[in-house]
Amino acid sequence: MSTDGWKNFGKYGAAGDPGNVHGKIGLGRALEDALERMIVEGGIKSPVTSRRGLLARMRYLTATKGGPAAMADAGITATPATIKAWTKGKQQPRPANLELIDTAYWNLRAHNVLSNPGALKQHLNNAGKGTKVEIHPINQDPVIPTRRRDNLRLRTLQVRYVWDEAVDAMVAGDEAKLEEIWDDIIADLDSDWGAYTYVRHIGLGA
């Protein structure tokens, strides 16, 4: 998948699925978002506006292969001396540059994780135990009362054997394949599976 927009995912990812305004999101995109959050959750937690968050991002960008290119791609035009001062905490970047540093950090982290996704697969496979999947049903508030489904509730499944394929599909940006994988996952819900063909949110936790 493209790393475009990873800055926003890093900034807002903890709040839920981006763009999910109406409480209803398609299968492939919901699973892709959940996998992307696994990448975000392993990143730097402190905001770029804090000293700790800024220094951590600058260390990553200056010590990791591809960091200078990521900063250039994000639009950072500071001189090497200025970048060194940012990294050592001797100079505070302007707010616009803080945003660009955040963008460069999240894009580089995403690129590095997705270029070598073995660790993510290993984490999700969890030595054969698989990963717990929390399925949050769609928000029924906009639905007229006579059309609401009373049996919709949070469902939890322990999912195994699909994660290598799911991570490969996420890297390729193949939402159709992710939808197929999601169909396999919710098949374990038996007759209730049709209620979860659209969801509000999917949570993953090994």
Side-chain angles (χ1 to χ4, degrees):
M1 64 172 292
S2 168
T3 55
D4 291 345
W6 272 94
K7 183 270 291 185
N8 284 337
F9 211 105
K11 189 174 182 180
Y12 304 116
D17 295 311
N20 185 11
V21 177
H22 301 294
K24 177 178 179 180
I25 191 168
L27 316 176
R29 183 59 196 166
L31 184 55
E32 186 176 27
D33 286 351
L35 289 167
E36 289 174 352
R37 276 195 302 277
M38 298 292 286
I39 298 173
V40 170
E41 288 166 1
I44 297 168
K45 302 297 190 297
S46 302
V48 70
T49 51
S50 70
R51 178 180 172 81
R52 182 176 179 178
L54 171 62
L55 294 181
R57 283 165 176 79
M58 290 307 304
R59 282 194 297 269
Y60 186 85
L61 289 167
T62 54
T64 305
K65 181 180 178 181
M71 286 190 281
D73 289 345
I76 295 172
T77 59
T79 65
T82 297
I83 290 173
K84 184 176 181 179
W86 292 346
T87 305
K88 291 182 176 294
K90 294 181 178 180
Q91 182 176 330
Q92 176 69 15
R94 295 191 304 271
N97 279 324
L98 287 174
E99 286 288 317
L100 297 179
I101 290 167
D102 204 29
T103 296
Y105 165 73
W106 286 110
N107 285 350
L108 181 60
R109 173 173 165 74
H111 171 78
N112 289 341
V113 173
L114 296 176
S115 295
N116 185 23
L120 180 59
K121 292 179 181 180
Q122 185 177 20
H123 177 74
L124 291 164
N125 285 319
N126 194 22
K129 299 175 185 177
T131 290
K132 181 174 70 174
V133 177
E134 289 187 347
I135 309 170
H136 297 251
I138 60 172
N139 176 16
Q140 294 195 87
D141 290 345
V143 181
I144 60 175
T146 56
R147 294 290 185 177
R148 293 177 186 171
R149 298 188 60 156
D150 295 331
N151 63 331
L152 290 189
R153 65 189 190 281
L154 171 69
R155 299 295 301 269
T156 302
L157 298 171
Q158 191 71 19
V159 178
R160 302 173 178 84
Y161 314 123
V162 304
W163 299 114
D164 285 1
E165 198 172 21
V167 171
D168 287 341
M170 178 192 67
V171 172
D174 189 348
E175 286 191 22
K177 184 63 180 177
L178 287 166
E179 288 185 10
E180 291 179 16
I181 293 169
W182 184 248
D183 283 342
D184 290 340
I185 291 172
I186 63 174
D188 289 339
L189 297 175
D190 299 321
S191 60
D192 206 21
W193 71 270
Y196 299 91
T197 53
Y198 281 92
V199 297
R200 183 174 76 249
H201 173 78
I202 296 172
L204 302 178

